[in-house]
Amino acid sequence: MKENKTKSALIVIDMENGFVNPKSAHCIKYAAATVPACVHAVETAREKGIPVFFVKRIYRTDGSDVELTRYEGWKRGGRAMTPESRGENSAQAPEGLRPQPGDYTIIKPRWSAFFHTELDLILRRLQVETVILIGTTTPNCVRTTCYDANSLEYNVVILEDCCSSQTEEIQRVNIEDMRRMGAVILNSREFEDYGPDTVPDVSRQIYREMQEASETPEPFREGEECGWTDLW
């Protein structure tokens, strides 16, 4: 295992035929066009010693784990991305986006890569502080993973040209919303220069400020009946 000086991880979300192949019933219109950039990002991460996580969705054949809002479409579309599926409607990944020795694979049951998976546990064991997100779709699985990562105190980077949506407008507004939330927006070429100082560790900065300020977490006032919890 290479030393991960950036304390980052690359999370590749749902880059599988069922979402990428134009012949699939669940194809995301612009997903196929992002494959070369995604492949480049994965290769760059491996060169830098950044662990790569391939996060994907696989559905049980009986549909018992399909999202409520996707179930009817999933049935009409041929029950895609089941474990035994092959070809254009399958959970198989495009060439160049398949795990290699040293990579991690996560199977997620819902939109976010963190929801009911072991992703957070493994990232913390690897001492990862920043997640770099690529994949599809930007408004659904990428965005929910972004917000969950933020809630879990990770710094978040989005590689914009490695993400895809059904329309250019959906892509634009979702990237802008994640930027406003605090995500750092880069592209796959800028990622080539990514290093330990590219993304400031906001959590550590806040902790240092807390140490220097020595503020108490709740303003209890000695000798008064009204404590902080009573001010509600």
Side-chain angles (χ1 to χ4, degrees):
M1 178 184 293
K2 292 183 179 180
E3 182 183 2
N4 182 11
K5 296 181 180 180
T6 69
K7 293 187 179 296
S8 303
L10 180 69
I11 315 297
V12 186
I13 300 173
D14 285 350
M15 293 301 288
E16 50 195 292
N17 286 343
F19 296 121
V20 175
N21 193 300
K23 295 181 180 180
S24 169
H26 301 280
C27 175
I28 305 305
K29 183 177 181 180
Y30 291 98
T34 68
V35 169
C38 287
V39 171
H40 181 63
V42 168
E43 292 173 346
T44 300
R46 288 175 178 147
E47 290 171 2
K48 292 178 178 291
I50 296 174
V52 179
F53 287 73
F54 289 95
V55 181
K56 64 194 302 184
R57 193 72 174 90
I58 296 178
Y59 293 116
R60 296 179 186 273
T61 307
D62 68 354
S64 57
D65 60 350
V66 179
E67 294 90 346
L68 294 176
T69 53
R70 182 174 280 166
Y71 182 74
E72 290 300 325
W74 176 78
K75 285 195 304 181
R76 291 194 302 270
R79 296 178 179 261
M81 294 170 279
T82 56
E84 69 276 8
S85 60
R86 297 291 183 271
E88 63 196 34
N89 220 22
S90 72
Q92 291 179 303
E95 192 66 40
L97 293 176
R98 298 170 185 171
Q100 294 183 5
D103 298 336
Y104 292 84
T105 298
I106 303 287
I107 307 301
K108 63 186 177 69
R110 287 294 183 266
W111 311 104
S112 170
F114 287 100
F115 184 79
H116 285 199
T117 74
E118 67 271 49
L119 179 59
D120 181 50
L121 182 145
I122 297 174
L123 291 175
R124 294 188 189 281
R125 176 62 57 85
L126 297 179
Q127 299 183 4
V128 167
E129 297 171 353
T130 300
V131 293
I132 305 159
L133 306 183
I134 68 175
T136 197
T137 63
T138 305
N140 292 337
C141 299
V142 174
R143 182 167 172 160
T144 55
T145 301
C146 169
Y147 278 76
D148 278 355
N150 178 266
S151 297
L152 290 165
E153 202 82 349
Y154 292 100
N155 307 304
V156 181
V157 175
I158 308 289
L159 300 188
E160 184 174 7
D161 61 330
C162 296
C163 299
S164 53
S165 304
Q166 289 288 22
T167 72
E168 293 179 357
E169 180 65 5
I170 290 173
Q171 177 75 0
R172 184 189 68 79
V173 297
N174 277 275
I175 290 292
E176 188 57 33
D177 272 352
M178 288 187 285
R179 189 197 306 273
R180 289 195 188 99
M181 183 274 292
V184 176
I185 310 299
L186 303 174
N187 60 47
S188 58
R189 292 299 172 187
E190 292 172 324
F191 185 46
E192 294 175 1
D193 298 322
Y194 186 88
D197 299 321
T198 300
V199 179
D201 190 332
V202 180
S203 181
R204 289 194 179 196
Q205 290 177 0
I206 293 172
Y207 179 65
R208 283 195 293 268
E209 289 184 13
M210 291 171 60
Q211 286 184 309
E212 293 170 1
S214 298
E215 297 286 351
T216 58
E218 291 87 26
F220 289 107
R221 294 184 288 276
E222 187 175 355
E224 297 184 21
E225 292 183 1
C226 181
W228 178 73
T229 55
D230 296 324
L231 297 178
W232 294 100

